[in-house]
Amino acid sequence: MPVWLSLLLRVFIAFLLVAIALAGHWFDRDGLRDNVDGAISFADVLYFTMITITTVGYGDIVPVTEQARLFDTFVVTPIRLFVWLIFLGTAYEFLFKQVWERWRMNLIQRGLHDHVVVAGHGTSGAEAVCELIRRGTDPASIVVIDQNGASLRAAEARGVNVLDGDATRNATLEAVHVERARSIIVSAGRDDTSILIVLTARRLAPDVPISVVIRSEDNEALARQAGAETVINPASFAGLLLAGSTHGPHIADYMADLANADGRVTLRERPVEAAEVGRALSEIRTGLGLRVYRGERAFGFWEPESAQLREGDQIVEVVPHLAPR
């Protein structure tokens, strides 16, 4: 519910309760006595209703009949409690809670470093968060940005930090310190929104790796031009699994095993170690070497370039699931 609508609803309920008390006192005004002039006017009833609900009670107007006293006991007293609860709840919601959340957010912001920013907690974003946690990432080092209340609540239930905001805006990404992030995952649900988020994030964080989910193949090149290192098309990946299954019943199963943190094996990327420089990719002992990334180029295990590892190379290898990372 929008903030303004919630506030209006609370004001309406409070006025409705006051109106009920006012109407009851007016129709039973003969049960009231004015100790000043002896006459009960509408202004007297309004005055008596307000000071009764606010629990002030000066004693200049008092209920004298049994019916009036019972009305004050069983109707006005509960109304007084409800009005105060509405007042306190509103003060907490719109004042104390905001101050608390702002203070809490400042504490979180000061501690954000080497974290993962997830822009969009829909189906793909939520699965990415779960997979990160399964792979050993501390939930406190993950920040989810979304504008959907249900998505934010689901993310918060996983123990991650959440921010209700528009990830296409500079102020939102600056609030989560994207420039200090380890990586950025973008899954906004719409290709145009995702590409705009990538553009904004790349300007604020020139050196942070950005991965984005793009659903249209035509937009993949645009996402890369916007600054994304990794562009993932769920439909294309599903097509790869389906096509692989036609060449053998176990190919798709093994590919899914590699991508899943709960599988028997998993893919890992790491820099070449000093002791491995000069050796072949096939000679590494930490796993099964598949590919070497050297600058902007990639070499498979069968290519001559992988026969001698160099300082600065990145290795992609298959390792057992329980291997240290």
Side-chain angles (χ1 to χ4, degrees):
M1 182 181 296
V3 173
W4 64 269
L5 185 56
S6 175
L7 183 59
L8 283 179
L9 181 61
R10 294 166 191 243
V11 171
F12 172 76
I13 294 175
F15 272 103
L16 180 63
L17 293 174
V18 173
I20 292 173
L22 178 63
H25 285 146
W26 174 252
F27 288 118
D28 191 35
R29 57 188 179 277
D30 293 337
L32 303 176
R33 184 175 66 194
D34 189 337
N35 293 323
V36 177
D37 57 12
I40 298 293
S41 64
F42 179 77
D44 292 330
V45 172
L46 179 61
Y47 162 76
F48 175 71
T49 300
M50 297 309 298
I51 64 171
T52 303
I53 289 179
T54 56
T55 71
V56 178
Y58 295 113
D60 48 352
I61 301 177
V62 294
V64 293
T65 64
E66 183 178 349
Q67 180 177 333
R69 290 172 176 171
L70 289 176
F71 179 78
D72 279 352
T73 301
F74 295 107
V75 177
V76 177
T77 298
I79 287 177
R80 179 190 306 122
L81 295 176
F82 277 115
V83 168
W84 273 103
L85 286 175
I86 291 172
F87 170 76
L88 293 175
T90 303
Y92 168 75
E93 186 72 25
F94 296 102
L95 180 61
F96 299 114
K97 185 179 179 181
Q98 291 186 14
V99 171
W100 166 260
E101 290 296 334
R102 192 177 297 113
W103 177 79
R104 178 173 172 267
M105 189 62 189
N106 288 335
L107 285 181
I108 293 173
Q109 286 176 319
R110 285 198 292 268
L112 287 178
H113 186 78
D114 198 32
H115 54 293
V116 179
V117 177
V118 180
H121 196 257
T123 303
S124 300
E127 184 60 32
V129 170
C130 291
E131 187 69 13
L132 285 169
I133 295 173
R134 284 195 293 265
R135 289 174 180 264
T137 303
D138 183 3
S141 67
I142 301 174
V143 181
V144 169
I145 304 173
D146 207 305
Q147 291 181 290
N148 183 279
S151 298
L152 291 175
R153 287 191 293 272
E156 199 168 20
R158 295 185 173 98
V160 305
N161 302 303
V162 299
L163 176 63
D164 185 353
D166 182 0
T168 64
R169 300 184 60 187
N170 289 357
T172 303
L173 296 182
E174 288 172 350
V176 298
H177 292 291
V178 289
E179 75 283 357
R180 301 200 306 237
R182 181 171 80 240
S183 60
I184 302 171
I185 297 174
V186 180
S187 178
R190 289 171 52 100
D191 286 358
D192 54 352
T193 305
S194 294
I195 292 173
L196 182 56
I197 293 173
V198 172
L199 278 169
T200 307
R202 178 52 69 218
R203 190 178 70 83
L204 296 174
D207 302 322
V208 178
I210 301 178
S211 303
V212 60
V213 174
I214 295 295
R215 287 170 168 75
S216 174
E217 186 176 352
D218 296 337
N219 294 327
E220 292 183 18
L222 291 175
R224 295 187 187 277
Q225 292 174 10
E229 283 87 356
T230 305
V231 178
I232 299 172
N233 189 321
S236 297
F237 186 72
L240 291 174
L241 292 178
L242 290 171
S245 67
T246 64
H247 292 80
H250 306 301
I251 293 178
D253 177 66
Y254 188 74
M255 292 175 66
D257 198 7
L258 285 174
N260 195 325
D262 295 328
R264 296 178 60 191
V265 293
T266 186
L267 285 172
R268 179 173 66 179
E269 180 177 347
R270 64 172 178 85
V272 65
E273 297 177 358
E276 297 170 334
V277 174
R279 297 185 179 182
L281 179 62
S282 59
E283 296 178 3
I284 64 173
R285 294 291 177 262
T286 54
L288 180 62
L290 299 179
R291 184 172 289 185
V292 175
Y293 284 88
R294 186 170 296 155
E296 299 295 328
R297 302 184 63 186
F299 304 105
F301 61 87
W302 66 92
E303 296 183 85
E305 289 80 0
S306 66
Q308 189 174 30
L309 297 174
R310 300 179 184 176
E311 186 177 356
D313 285 351
Q314 289 289 125
I315 296 175
V316 175
E317 59 184 348
V318 177
V319 297
H321 173 61
L322 297 179
R325 299 175 185 177

